[in-house]
Amino acid sequence: MTAPFAPVPRRTGLVVAVDLEERAAAEALAGAVAPFADALKVGWPTVLACGIEVVGLLQRASGRPVICDFKIADIPPVASAIARRAVDAGASGVICHAFAGRESVQAVADECHRRGVLAIAVVEMSHEGGREFTEPWSVRLLEAALAGGALVGAVNGVLIKTVLGRYTFALGSNEEATRLSGVDVDAR
């Protein structure tokens, strides 16, 4: 089976969040962590301060895949457009929120897979509000993310504590995609 997207090579298991709002500092950090990181993750504060072209800049400075941690949570056409812009800028993956529903997750996943990159859906958040509001719904959010065709990112709580959650956390909705992301899908 041919994967619909390029793999994120796993060497260290480290994904570095580049949350700096100054372009030169973000570029310097990307270059400095390159020997240790498997990928970089960039979010809205950096992109809004430096422009969307910072995605490609970080990729070139590090030689590592860049995942846009945009936590997209909008109607499907808008979610798809945001994912498309991220991929056009050089993203190797795009993160969306599962709480926006299966259709929105699917819009992001379809755009990403069509373009050969990862789509990752967040189903739980680690901060207090996340525990209060997303954890009680995590199984339903997981179902929406899987139905939408995205890999699943769970950071704590119910999903990691349940058999379904542990299996899904380790495997995602697409075994080949998960394998290419560096997860040992044969270890159960």
Side-chain angles (χ1 to χ4, degrees), residues 97-106 121 123 137-150 152 173:
H97 263 300
F99 72 72
R102 181 192 57 78
E103 294 86 1
S104 291
V105 172
Q106 187 167 359
V123 298
W137 297 95
S138 59
V139 172
R140 297 230 11 229
L141 294 172
L142 169 66
E143 292 167 352
L146 296 176
V152 176
S173 63

Side-chain angles (χ1 to χ4, degrees), residues 5-134:
F5 42 80
V8 174
R10 185 178 177 130
R11 300 171 303 124
T12 65
L14 179 65
V15 176
V16 175
V18 179
D19 292 328
L20 302 170
E21 295 183 31
E22 203 280 314
R23 183 185 300 251
E27 183 178 17
L29 177 62
V33 302
F36 313 104
D38 287 345
L40 304 178
K41 184 174 68 106
V42 64
W44 284 117
T46 303
V47 170
L48 290 173
C50 301
I52 191 70
E53 62 275 1
V54 75
V55 175
L57 175 77
L58 295 174
Q59 193 283 323
R60 289 186 300 278
S62 67
R64 301 284 175 249
V66 176
I67 299 166
C68 285
D69 186 8
F70 289 172
K71 294 184 183 76
I72 301 168
D74 214 317
I75 62 172
V78 174
S80 179
I82 294 168
R84 184 175 57 254
R85 294 291 182 148
V87 176
D88 285 348
S92 296
V94 179
I95 297 175
C96 64
H97 263 300
F99 72 72
R102 181 192 57 78
E103 294 86 1
S104 291
V105 172
Q106 187 167 359
V108 171
D110 287 350
E111 186 64 40
C112 288
H113 296 165
R114 188 172 29 258
R115 306 288 296 283
V117 304
L118 294 170
I120 302 163
V122 173
V123 298
E124 290 185 340
M125 299 291 287
S126 60
H127 67 288
E128 189 60 37
R131 284 190 291 280
E132 180 180 356
F133 292 104
T134 61

Side-chain angles (χ1 to χ4, degrees), residues 151-152 164-175 178-179 182-188:
L151 290 175
V152 176
L164 171 65
R166 281 193 303 270
Y167 179 75
T168 304
F169 181 69
L171 226 145
S173 63
N174 179 325
E175 185 170 340
T178 306
R179 182 185 325 281
V183 175
D184 182 0
V185 297
D186 298 319
R188 299 186 215 257

Side-chain angles (χ1 to χ4, degrees), residues 142-166:
L142 169 66
E143 292 167 352
L146 296 176
L151 290 175
V152 176
V155 293
N156 71 335
V158 174
L159 291 183
I160 295 171
K161 296 174 189 171
T162 66
V163 173
L164 171 65
R166 281 193 303 270

